[in-house]
Amino acid sequence: MDPLQVHLIFGLGWLSFGLGHSALCTLAVKQRLASLFGAYYRLSYNLFAVIHIGAVWQFGKTALDATPFALEPGIETALTVIRWLGIVVLVLAIREYDLGRFSGLSQIRAYRSGRKDPGDEALVLSGLHRFVRHPLYLGAHMILWGGAANGFGLATAVWGSLYLAVGARHEENALLALYGEAYAEYKRRVPALIPRPGRR
């Protein structure tokens, strides 16, 4: 297959993931799927997202060139450090969420025990969220670009970053709708991705 075609298919795969992920997050679709899957909606949504992006990643891994670039030792080391720092940021950020609700397991446990659905969690303003609004995205960007040491890694960083940029905007709108003025005030005070002195 022609390299341009491979990159196009890989890009379309990322686009399909982004559109699908965003569509499944809209209120109308969430309500429709919740009526079909009930308490299992959130878990099903997460599993579908993992399978979808996994398929896109596997195609890229198989079809794109994974031969390491001829990088200077210092650059290669810097990319590795950025990648590991990204993993640290991602782990620290995800620990600030209610992972039961995030995964959908809390909803299932509540349903099985006859309790009320826990609903959405409160707006998270602690930990890394004091410095950036999207620490998960920041960690993901660092991991992506830290892995851009070959053709597959670079293509993944480009397409993944585009997805994250669009996803962040979509998520901002959803958070404004969910939390209202509380999130609007938070948005005025705290930068999206890059920490800035005096803004926290």
Side-chain angles (χ1 to χ4, degrees):
M1 190 181 297
D2 182 83
L4 184 59
Q5 290 178 317
V6 172
H7 279 282
L8 180 60
I9 294 171
F10 191 51
L12 288 173
W14 274 98
L15 178 63
S16 72
F17 173 72
L19 291 175
H21 200 63
S22 296
L24 290 172
C25 286
T26 59
L27 183 59
V29 174
K30 284 172 71 173
Q31 290 174 338
R32 176 62 179 163
L33 292 178
S35 68
L36 294 174
F37 294 100
Y40 293 86
Y41 160 71
R42 179 75 189 189
L43 181 62
S44 302
Y45 163 82
N46 286 329
L47 288 174
F48 176 76
V50 169
I51 292 169
H52 194 166
I53 195 60
V56 174
W57 185 88
Q58 185 58 46
F59 169 79
K61 185 74 173 175
T62 303
L64 290 168
D65 186 9
T67 304
F69 295 142
L71 299 173
E72 294 294 329
I75 295 176
E76 190 172 346
T77 301
L79 289 176
T80 301
V81 170
I82 289 170
R83 191 169 202 178
W84 278 105
L85 284 175
I87 292 171
V88 171
V89 169
L90 199 68
V91 170
L92 290 176
I94 205 166
R95 290 179 61 192
E96 294 163 10
Y97 292 94
D98 181 337
L99 297 183
R101 291 188 199 186
F102 189 85
S103 65
L105 295 177
S106 290
Q107 292 87 329
I108 295 171
R109 283 196 294 266
Y111 169 75
R112 288 182 172 177
S113 62
R115 291 182 284 111
K116 184 179 178 182
D117 187 300
D120 295 302
E121 65 180 302
L123 179 61
V124 178
L125 301 175
S126 59
L128 295 180
H129 288 85
R130 293 176 297 163
F131 308 101
V132 291
R133 299 196 304 275
H134 302 289
L136 286 174
Y137 288 4
L138 172 59
H141 276 293
M142 294 171 72
I143 292 169
L144 287 170
W145 287 101
N150 55 49
F152 165 64
L154 180 59
T156 302
V158 170
W159 291 113
S161 293
L162 284 173
Y163 160 71
L164 290 172
V166 174
R169 176 163 294 191
H170 184 273
E171 185 173 335
E172 291 273 297
N173 293 333
L175 291 170
L176 280 168
L178 181 61
Y179 298 113
E181 182 55 33
Y183 191 80
E185 173 61 22
Y186 175 58
K187 186 177 179 181
R188 284 191 288 269
R189 289 188 293 107
V190 178
L193 283 176
I194 309 300
R196 298 178 196 167
R199 293 193 63 187
R200 52 179 292 179

